[in-house]
Amino acid sequence: MALSTLGIGVGRLEQSPVLRSTSSKPYQRLAARQPAVTCSQDSGPHRKTDAFQRTVPKAATLGSSPTQETTKPAADKEPALFNWTKQWYPMAAVQDLDPAVPHPIKLLGKELVLWRDAQGWRALEDNCPHRNVALSEGRIEPSNGSLMCSYHGWCFDGQGKCIAIPTAGQMDRKSEESACNSKRSAVASYPTQEKEGLLWVWAESGPTSFIEASATPAKSNESYASWPGESKIKWTFERYVRDVPGSFDCWVDNMTDQSHAQFAHNGALSKP
């Protein structure tokens, strides 16, 4: 009974006007209105198709010419991002730095301390790992030129390694040596260099920072050396630093605004 019912149903569906309307005649009429899509073999990666088959480009193979579908235009490529930390920054005029005391500075939001040992100027994170005291409030140890924390006397060399813990050394020299060799007692160090009377600091620490810094020249003003008649010119200048409260973007806008000089600095730089 079920089979006969199914056969009747199928028979009725075969005579259904809906299926009769899906014959090839309507598509033939539609194809007559639209031009057929044909491509020669030399015209590219598309193959010859009829009006009802979608043209799909072949997969790019080695040695084939790139197509608009598979190659992204060069204009859409994202530009390389500027890395602010892998740069040299002039932090102070060397003549203004007293080598007998540490100096606190701030670079890209990082609290650093500048100090000088026998090898030159150093830059460390301005934070003792023992009790988070600012190392810039410490002093230079006369016996070895290390930077001493003013709280418990921890001493650090130019690479940021702790070389002395007085309270531990008084009880056990081995425990002091073990504590000094621990990474937890070290302070992050930053590359430095003196150039054109300025102390420059590389804004990134880490095991590769000194290698990257040595391979990157500081963006200093060296163009004057190539001026015509430079050997006949006597260069005289005086460096000065003026600390004024203000945001970074505000002072960049001020320094690049050339129209304010004759008014704001009347008589000093120019006249209206």
Side-chain angles (χ1 to χ4, degrees):
M1 187 66 182
L3 291 177
S4 61
T5 304
L6 179 60
I8 295 173
V10 171
R12 291 177 180 176
L13 285 175
E14 289 178 351
Q15 301 300 322
S16 173
V18 176
L19 286 182
R20 288 199 300 271
S21 65
T22 58
S23 63
S24 60
K25 293 183 179 180
Y27 289 99
Q28 292 175 358
R29 291 195 297 269
L30 178 62
R33 300 175 186 175
Q34 298 180 354
V37 179
T38 57
C39 296
S40 63
Q41 295 181 355
D42 298 333
S43 63
H46 298 280
R47 58 189 176 88
K48 187 175 181 179
T49 60
D50 55 22
F52 313 108
Q53 192 169 10
R54 180 182 177 185
T55 58
V56 180
K58 293 182 179 179
T61 58
L62 188 62
S64 62
S65 59
T67 62
Q68 185 177 2
E69 293 83 356
T70 59
T71 304
K72 190 176 182 180
D76 295 341
K77 293 182 178 179
E78 296 183 358
L81 298 179
F82 181 81
N83 193 325
W84 288 89
T85 61
K86 295 182 184 296
Q87 307 292 332
W88 286 103
Y89 292 89
M91 299 307 303
V94 177
Q95 66 181 18
D96 296 335
L97 297 175
D98 184 357
V101 295
H103 302 270
I105 63 169
K106 180 178 287 188
L107 175 58
L108 300 183
K110 303 175 182 178
E111 302 287 347
L112 306 181
V113 54
L114 299 176
W115 60 287
R116 185 177 178 86
D117 61 7
Q119 284 72 42
W121 285 99
R122 306 289 192 171
L124 300 180
E125 180 184 1
D126 194 11
N127 182 72
C128 180
H130 182 210
R131 288 292 185 263
N132 299 325
V133 176
L135 293 175
S136 58
E137 298 180 3
R139 56 183 179 271
I140 309 300
E141 171 58 36
S143 62
N144 55 16
S146 61
L147 178 60
M148 176 184 286
C149 178
S150 61
Y151 199 8
H152 292 91
W154 286 33
C155 295
F156 302 89
D157 63 9
Q159 300 298 324
K161 183 181 185 300
C162 182
I163 60 175
I165 302 177
T167 53
Q170 293 174 359
M171 297 181 295
D172 185 5
R173 292 293 299 176
K174 289 186 178 181
S175 62
E176 179 188 21
E177 182 179 356
S178 177
C180 290
N181 291 330
S182 173
K183 294 182 179 180
R184 297 175 58 188
S185 64
V187 180
S189 61
Y190 296 78
T192 61
Q193 67 167 308
E194 293 185 40
K195 193 172 186 180
E196 297 184 5
L198 298 174
L199 180 59
W200 301 71
V201 179
W202 185 259
E204 186 172 279
S205 63
T208 62
S209 60
F210 285 84
I211 300 176
E212 294 174 335
S214 61
T216 307
K219 306 293 185 181
S220 58
N221 185 17
E222 299 176 340
S223 59
Y224 68 85
S226 61
W227 288 2
E230 188 272 335
S231 59
K232 300 179 181 179
I233 300 176
K234 182 179 180 181
W235 294 90
T236 60
F237 61 91
E238 180 179 355
R239 300 187 186 276
Y240 71 92
V241 176
R242 178 180 298 172
D243 294 327
V244 182
S247 62
F248 174 80
D249 54 349
C250 176
W251 288 110
V252 168
D253 178 76
N254 174 265
M255 297 302 295
T256 56
D257 179 10
Q258 301 297 319
S259 62
H260 83 280
Q262 64 268 31
F263 301 100
H265 306 284
N266 181 22
L269 299 179
S270 59
K271 296 181 179 180

Coordinates of all heavy atoms in Angstrom, one line a residue, residues 72-111:
K72 N 47.9 41.1 -4.6 CA 47.4 42.3 -3.9 C 48.1 43.5 -4.4 O 49.3 43.5 -4.5 CB 47.5 42.1 -2.4 CG 46.8 43.2 -1.6 CD 47.0 42.9 -0.1 CE 46.3 44.0 0.7 NZ 46.4 43.8 2.2
P73 N 47.4 44.6 -4.8 CA 48.1 45.8 -5.2 C 49.1 46.3 -4.2 O 48.9 46.2 -3.0 CB 47.0 46.8 -5.5 CG 45.8 45.9 -5.6 CD 46.0 44.7 -4.8
A74 N 50.2 46.9 -4.7 CA 51.2 47.4 -3.8 C 50.7 48.5 -3.0 O 51.2 48.8 -1.9 CB 52.4 47.9 -4.6
A75 N 49.7 49.3 -3.5 CA 49.2 50.4 -2.7 C 48.5 50.0 -1.5 O 48.3 50.8 -0.6 CB 48.3 51.3 -3.6
D76 N 48.0 48.8 -1.4 CA 47.3 48.3 -0.3 C 48.1 47.7 0.8 O 47.7 47.4 1.9 CB 46.3 47.2 -0.7 CG 45.2 47.7 -1.6 OD1 45.0 49.0 -1.7 OD2 44.6 46.9 -2.3
K77 N 49.4 47.6 0.6 CA 50.4 47.1 1.6 C 50.5 48.1 2.8 O 50.6 49.3 2.5 CB 51.7 46.8 1.0 CG 51.7 45.7 0.0 CD 53.1 45.4 -0.6 CE 53.1 44.3 -1.6 NZ 54.5 44.0 -2.1
E78 N 50.5 47.6 4.0 CA 50.6 48.4 5.1 C 52.0 48.9 5.3 O 53.0 48.2 5.1 CB 50.2 47.7 6.4 CG 48.7 47.2 6.4 CD 48.3 46.5 7.7 OE1 49.2 46.4 8.5 OE2 47.2 46.2 7.8
P79 N 52.2 50.2 5.6 CA 53.6 50.8 5.8 C 54.2 50.2 7.0 O 53.5 49.8 8.0 CB 53.3 52.3 5.9 CG 51.9 52.4 6.4 CD 51.2 51.3 5.8
A80 N 55.5 50.1 7.0 CA 56.2 49.6 8.2 C 56.0 50.6 9.4 O 56.1 51.8 9.3 CB 57.7 49.5 7.9
L81 N 55.8 50.0 10.6 CA 55.5 50.8 11.8 C 56.8 51.3 12.3 O 57.8 50.6 12.3 CB 54.8 49.9 12.8 CG 53.4 49.4 12.4 CD1 52.8 48.6 13.5 CD2 52.5 50.6 12.1
F82 N 56.8 52.5 12.9 CA 58.0 53.1 13.5 C 58.1 52.5 14.9 O 57.2 52.6 15.7 CB 57.8 54.6 13.5 CG 59.0 55.3 14.2 CD1 60.1 55.6 13.4 CD2 59.0 55.7 15.5 CE1 61.2 56.2 14.0 CE2 60.1 56.4 16.0 CZ 61.2 56.6 15.3
N83 N 59.3 52.0 15.2 CA 59.5 51.4 16.6 C 60.2 52.5 17.4 O 61.3 52.9 17.2 CB 60.4 50.2 16.5 CG 60.5 49.4 17.7 OD1 60.4 50.0 18.8 ND2 60.5 48.1 17.6
W84 N 59.4 53.0 18.4 CA 59.9 54.1 19.2 C 61.0 53.7 20.2 O 61.8 54.6 20.6 CB 58.7 54.7 20.0 CG 57.8 55.5 19.1 CD1 56.7 55.0 18.5 CD2 57.8 56.9 18.8 NE1 56.0 56.0 17.7 CE2 56.7 57.2 17.9 CE3 58.7 57.9 19.1 CZ2 56.5 58.4 17.4 CZ3 58.4 59.2 18.6 CH2 57.3 59.4 17.8
T85 N 61.0 52.5 20.6 CA 62.0 52.1 21.6 C 63.4 51.8 21.0 O 64.4 51.9 21.6 CB 61.5 50.9 22.4 OG1 61.3 49.8 21.5 CG2 60.2 51.2 23.1
K86 N 63.4 51.4 19.7 CA 64.7 51.0 19.0 C 65.3 52.3 18.4 O 65.5 52.3 17.2 CB 64.5 49.9 18.0 CG 64.0 48.6 18.6 CD 63.9 47.5 17.6 CE 63.4 46.2 18.2 NZ 64.4 45.6 19.1
Q87 N 65.4 53.3 19.2 CA 65.9 54.6 18.7 C 66.9 55.2 19.8 O 66.8 54.9 21.0 CB 64.8 55.6 18.4 CG 63.7 55.1 17.5 CD 64.2 54.9 16.1 OE1 65.1 55.5 15.6 NE2 63.6 53.9 15.3
W88 N 67.8 56.1 19.3 CA 68.6 56.9 20.2 C 67.9 58.2 20.5 O 67.3 58.8 19.6 CB 69.9 57.2 19.6 CG 70.9 56.0 19.5 CD1 71.2 55.3 18.4 CD2 71.7 55.5 20.6 NE1 72.1 54.3 18.7 CE2 72.4 54.4 20.0 CE3 71.8 55.8 21.9 CZ2 73.3 53.7 20.8 CZ3 72.7 55.1 22.7 CH2 73.4 54.0 22.2
Y89 N 68.0 58.6 21.8 CA 67.4 59.9 22.2 C 68.4 60.7 23.0 O 69.1 60.2 23.9 CB 66.2 59.6 23.1 CG 65.0 59.0 22.4 CD1 64.9 57.6 22.3 CD2 64.0 59.8 21.8 CE1 63.8 57.0 21.6 CE2 62.9 59.2 21.1 CZ 62.9 57.8 21.1 OH 61.8 57.3 20.4
P90 N 68.6 62.0 22.6 CA 69.5 62.9 23.4 C 68.8 63.3 24.7 O 67.8 63.9 24.7 CB 69.8 64.1 22.5 CG 68.5 64.1 21.6 CD 68.0 62.7 21.5
M91 N 69.4 62.9 25.8 CA 68.8 63.1 27.1 C 69.3 64.3 27.9 O 68.7 64.8 28.7 CB 68.9 61.8 28.0 CG 68.2 60.6 27.3 SD 66.5 60.9 26.9 CE 65.8 61.4 28.4
A92 N 70.6 64.7 27.7 CA 71.2 65.7 28.4 C 72.5 66.2 27.8 O 73.1 65.4 27.0 CB 71.5 65.3 29.9
A93 N 72.8 67.5 28.0 CA 74.2 67.9 27.7 C 75.2 67.4 28.7 O 75.0 67.5 29.9 CB 74.2 69.5 27.6
V94 N 76.3 66.8 28.2 CA 77.2 66.2 29.1 C 77.8 67.2 30.0 O 78.1 66.9 31.2 CB 78.3 65.5 28.2 CG1 79.4 64.9 29.1 CG2 77.7 64.4 27.3
Q95 N 78.0 68.4 29.6 CA 78.6 69.4 30.5 C 77.7 69.8 31.6 O 78.2 70.3 32.6 CB 78.9 70.7 29.7 CG 77.7 71.4 29.2 CD 78.0 72.6 28.3 OE1 79.2 72.8 27.9 NE2 77.1 73.5 28.2
D96 N 76.4 69.4 31.6 CA 75.5 69.7 32.7 C 75.4 68.6 33.7 O 74.7 68.7 34.7 CB 74.1 70.1 32.1 CG 74.1 71.3 31.3 OD1 75.0 72.2 31.5 OD2 73.2 71.5 30.5
L97 N 76.0 67.5 33.4 CA 75.9 66.3 34.3 C 77.1 66.2 35.2 O 78.3 66.2 34.8 CB 75.8 65.0 33.4 CG 74.6 64.9 32.5 CD1 74.7 63.6 31.6 CD2 73.3 64.9 33.3
D98 N 76.9 66.1 36.5 CA 77.9 66.0 37.5 C 78.2 64.5 37.6 O 77.4 63.7 38.0 CB 77.4 66.5 38.8 CG 78.5 66.5 39.9 OD1 79.6 66.0 39.6 OD2 78.3 67.0 41.0
P99 N 79.4 64.0 37.3 CA 79.8 62.6 37.3 C 79.9 62.1 38.7 O 79.9 60.8 38.9 CB 81.1 62.5 36.6 CG 81.7 63.9 36.8 CD 80.6 64.8 36.8
A100 N 79.8 62.9 39.7 CA 79.9 62.5 41.1 C 78.6 62.0 41.7 O 78.6 61.4 42.8 CB 80.5 63.6 42.0
V101 N 77.5 62.3 41.0 CA 76.2 61.9 41.6 C 75.3 61.3 40.5 O 75.5 61.6 39.3 CB 75.5 63.2 42.2 CG1 76.2 63.7 43.4 CG2 75.3 64.2 41.1
P102 N 74.3 60.5 40.8 CA 73.4 60.0 39.8 C 72.3 61.0 39.5 O 72.0 61.9 40.3 CB 72.8 58.8 40.5 CG 72.9 59.0 42.0 CD 74.2 59.8 42.1
H103 N 71.8 60.9 38.3 CA 70.8 61.8 37.7 C 69.5 61.1 37.3 O 69.6 60.2 36.4 CB 71.4 62.6 36.6 CG 72.6 63.4 36.9 ND1 72.6 64.6 37.4 CD2 74.0 63.0 36.9 CE1 73.9 65.0 37.6 NE2 74.7 64.0 37.3
P104 N 68.4 61.5 37.8 CA 67.1 60.8 37.3 C 66.7 61.5 36.0 O 66.8 62.7 35.8 CB 66.1 61.1 38.4 CG 66.6 62.4 39.0 CD 68.1 62.4 38.9
I105 N 66.2 60.6 35.1 CA 65.6 61.1 33.8 C 64.4 60.2 33.5 O 64.2 59.2 34.1 CB 66.6 61.0 32.6 CG1 67.0 59.5 32.4 CG2 67.8 61.8 32.8 CD1 67.7 59.3 31.1
K106 N 63.6 60.7 32.6 CA 62.4 59.9 32.1 C 62.5 59.9 30.6 O 62.6 60.9 29.9 CB 61.1 60.6 32.6 CG 59.9 59.8 32.1 CD 58.6 60.5 32.6 CE 58.4 60.3 34.1 NZ 57.1 60.7 34.6
L107 N 62.4 58.7 30.0 CA 62.5 58.4 28.6 C 61.3 57.5 28.2 O 61.2 56.4 28.6 CB 63.8 57.8 28.2 CG 64.0 57.3 26.8 CD1 63.8 58.5 25.8 CD2 65.3 56.7 26.6
L108 N 60.4 58.1 27.4 CA 59.2 57.4 26.9 C 58.4 56.8 28.1 O 57.9 55.6 28.0 CB 59.6 56.3 25.9 CG 60.3 56.8 24.6 CD1 60.6 55.6 23.7 CD2 59.5 57.8 23.9
G109 N 58.3 57.5 29.2 CA 57.5 57.0 30.3 C 58.3 56.2 31.2 O 57.8 55.7 32.3
K110 N 59.6 55.8 30.9 CA 60.4 55.0 31.8 C 61.3 55.8 32.7 O 61.9 56.8 32.2 CB 61.3 54.1 30.9 CG 60.5 53.2 29.9 CD 61.5 52.4 29.0 CE 60.8 51.6 28.0 NZ 61.7 50.9 27.1
E111 N 61.3 55.5 34.0 CA 62.1 56.2 34.9 C 63.5 55.6 34.9 O 63.7 54.4 35.2 CB 61.5 56.1 36.3 CG 60.1 56.6 36.5 CD 60.1 58.1 36.5 OE1 61.2 58.8 36.6 OE2 59.0 58.7 36.3

